[in-house]
Amino acid sequence: MAVLLWAVLWSITSSECLPGGNLFGIIILFYCAVIGGRLLGLVKLPTLPPLPPLLGMLLAGFLLRNIPVICDNVQIEHRWSSSLRSIALSVILVRAGLGLDSKALQKLKGVCVRLSLGPCIVEACAAAVLAHFLMGLPWQWGFILGFVLGAVSPAVVVPSMLLLQEGGYGVEKGVPTLLMAAGSFDDILAITGFNTCLSIAFSTGSTMFNVLRGVLEVVIGVATGVPLGFFIRYFPSRDQATLALTRASLLLGLSVLAVFGSTRFGVPGSGGLCTLVTAFLAGLGWSEEKGEVGKIIAVAWDIFQPLLFGLIGAEVSVASLRPDTVGFCVATLGTAVLIRILTTFLMVCFAGFNIKEKLFISFAWLPKATVQAAIGSVALDMARSHGEEQLERYGMDVLTVAFLAILITAPIGSLLIGLLGPRFLQKLEHQNEDEAPQQTSVQL
């Protein structure tokens, strides 16, 4: 099938499917990323949970970029790469909007809100200060970097929480439900803050004008998303045979249109928020049927996930990295993550959790991957469109920190969740007689 796909594309596009062409590079990158994810999934250590496949996808793109002979033949223009990452971002935003659970939010209330807002905002501010004084970034770019780091990864947290939930760990106090519900709100806050700061950084005029412009883009995003959400809630009608497929296609199409159209109209910060609001309102109206639409969106994510992480890895060139820059990036990342862990611990105090459960939630709120891959390169893409070398350097610093955040925190966070979950969370006492005894780690 792979050879047939290449042959069909070659017959249509000719040189684009030959070595050095964009389609050739995309196909090779996609298959290498898929293989990298599968190979990493085969690595199984005793008493340890499996590593996230996205790490293998990231490393596959990184190797393709930095192996001399291969990088000369596998090339993707920045325009193509940016467009593919924007489509992947649209899919992520749709999944985040559909994943918002209003019932879970009402049930958990205060602690869910604190866990969604507190760590993200505090880490974003801490990273902005560190980036300004350690890396020399302007304040606007410091907060761009802060909100890139501020999001937790649902691609790592959600599967791990589902495994714990199946094993009965933390179910009585709703720890897995809390983390899965708060994760969506955390990501939305980070993406909204990032888009607002990005608009301010690339706007001309006074600071007050730029701030008001950022607020205006948020208002435009919400105002556009509300009618679109109500529209696709009732259209198409329920009597169609392929209702779920039609809804998913319409939702994805509108989301991609919102992300790309907002950039065309000069309000890039509104597209992401419009997508989130549209997906959330549509999901509320679909109620139980939302799950079928979510499954179709998940298939789209399975296609764009290898492309997204592979393209992020391929953006990082060893030759362009300076040792001092990498050192400052690691220092900024490490300090910001420690501040996040401490803040998370404080946010879940007085919520009925014991000390072990608080520690588990603090470490479970560590991994970063999906959002960092989706928005980590957006600032660099906009800097390239402006053609200013200094802005490109700032954008490259943001991308480098995002790359290191995925590379370091995703595997560490996944391992910590798998190791600490069975030890720190209480297990439901009522088990079947034939159920396996409590294990020391969660295994897939």
Side-chain angles (χ1 to χ4, degrees):
M1 288 300 295
V3 175
L4 178 60
L5 174 63
W6 175 83
V8 171
L9 292 175
W10 171 79
S11 65
I12 298 173
T13 63
S14 184
S15 61
E16 286 290 348
C17 275
L18 297 177
N22 288 296
L23 289 177
F24 179 84
I26 291 171
I27 293 172
I28 295 298
L29 178 70
F30 176 79
Y31 281 108
C32 288
V34 171
I35 293 171
R38 295 288 177 86
L39 290 177
L40 196 69
L42 296 176
V43 178
K44 296 181 180 179
L45 302 176
T47 71
L48 292 178
L51 294 172
L54 57 88
L55 190 62
M57 301 173 187
L58 186 77
L59 292 175
F62 179 75
L63 292 176
L64 286 177
R65 172 65 184 274
N66 292 282
I67 297 177
V69 178
I70 297 178
C71 68
D72 294 334
N73 295 289
V74 180
Q75 297 181 358
I76 304 174
E77 292 180 5
H78 294 310
R79 180 171 56 87
W80 288 63
S81 176
S82 175
S83 298
L84 288 172
R85 291 195 302 267
S86 296
I87 296 174
L89 175 60
S90 302
V91 178
I92 291 173
L93 293 172
V94 170
R95 297 191 73 193
L98 290 176
L100 290 177
D101 191 346
S102 58
K103 294 181 179 179
L105 180 62
Q106 293 174 0
K107 179 181 177 181
L108 298 168
K109 292 183 180 178
V111 64
C112 185
V113 174
R114 293 200 304 270
L115 193 60
S116 303
L117 301 180
C120 179
I121 294 176
V122 173
E123 184 181 17
C125 294
V129 174
L130 291 167
H132 179 72
F133 289 104
L134 290 181
M135 300 173 60
L137 295 181
W139 284 111
Q140 302 96 316
W141 282 88
F143 278 99
I144 288 175
L145 174 60
F147 281 109
V148 168
L149 289 181
V152 71
S153 172
V156 178
V157 173
V158 172
S160 301
M161 290 303 109
L162 291 175
L163 288 174
L164 289 173
Q165 202 169 43
E166 290 174 4
Y169 296 103
V171 175
E172 284 190 48
K173 294 187 178 180
V175 174
T177 303
L178 169 65
L179 291 173
M180 287 188 289
S184 297
F185 291 100
D186 177 271
D187 293 344
I188 288 172
L189 176 63
I191 293 172
T192 303
F194 169 81
N195 286 330
T196 303
C197 293
L198 191 69
S199 300
I200 294 173
F202 285 95
S203 298
T204 57
S206 63
T207 303
M208 181 59 66
F209 172 79
N210 293 336
V211 171
L212 292 176
R213 178 186 174 87
V215 175
L216 178 62
E217 291 190 9
V218 172
V219 174
I220 292 175
V222 174
T224 308
V226 169
L228 289 177
F230 281 106
F231 171 73
I232 61 175
R233 178 187 290 191
Y234 302 107
F235 180 84
S237 58
R238 295 178 179 269
D239 57 353
Q240 296 197 19
T242 57
L243 181 60
L245 179 60
T246 306
R247 283 174 169 173
S249 303
L250 188 59
L251 183 56
L252 282 175
L254 289 174
S255 301
V256 173
L257 177 62
V259 171
F260 282 90
S262 61
T263 303
R264 294 291 184 186
F265 286 106
V267 284
S270 62
L273 192 57
C274 173
T275 299
L276 289 167
V277 173
T278 301
F280 174 65
L281 292 178
L284 285 179
W286 296 336
S287 60
E288 297 179 356
E289 300 167 348
K290 181 173 67 172
E292 296 299 322
V293 178
K295 291 178 182 179
I296 299 174
I297 303 296
V299 174
W301 172 238
D302 290 338
I303 297 173
F304 281 97
Q305 183 184 21
L307 286 173
L308 175 62
F309 286 98
L311 288 169
I312 289 297
E315 284 286 348
V316 180
S317 173
V318 174
S320 63
L321 295 178
R322 303 188 307 273
D324 56 338
T325 301
V326 175
F328 287 135
C329 289
V330 173
T332 300
L333 172 64
T335 308
V337 166
L338 289 176
I339 294 174
R340 179 187 183 89
I341 293 174
L342 178 60
T343 305
T344 304
F345 184 86
L346 296 176
M347 290 296 106
V348 294
C349 289
F350 310 106
F353 299 116
N354 59 40
I355 185 67
K356 289 185 177 181
E357 290 165 341
K358 294 175 185 175
L359 288 173
F360 172 78
I361 294 173
S362 300
F363 287 112
W365 224 223
L366 165 68
K368 307 174 186 301
T370 315
V371 176
Q372 286 71 28
I375 66 177
S377 60
V378 173
L380 177 60
D381 293 336
M382 290 193 66
R384 284 170 175 165
S385 66
H386 282 70
E388 296 185 27
E389 184 178 352
Q390 185 64 46
L391 294 180
E392 290 186 26
R393 190 177 296 113
Y394 294 153
M396 195 64 210
D397 288 343
V398 173
L399 177 62
T400 302
V401 176
F403 174 81
L404 293 173
I406 301 171
L407 195 64
I408 296 172
T409 64
I412 293 177
S414 179
L415 293 176
L416 286 175
I417 293 173
L419 290 173
L420 299 181
R423 290 180 170 87
F424 285 7
L425 299 180
Q426 296 178 356
K427 188 173 183 179
L428 284 176
E429 296 180 358
H430 52 281
Q431 297 183 11
N432 297 327
E433 294 181 357
D434 57 344
E435 188 173 355
Q438 180 171 341
Q439 300 178 352
T440 57
S441 68
V442 179
Q443 298 185 3
L444 189 60

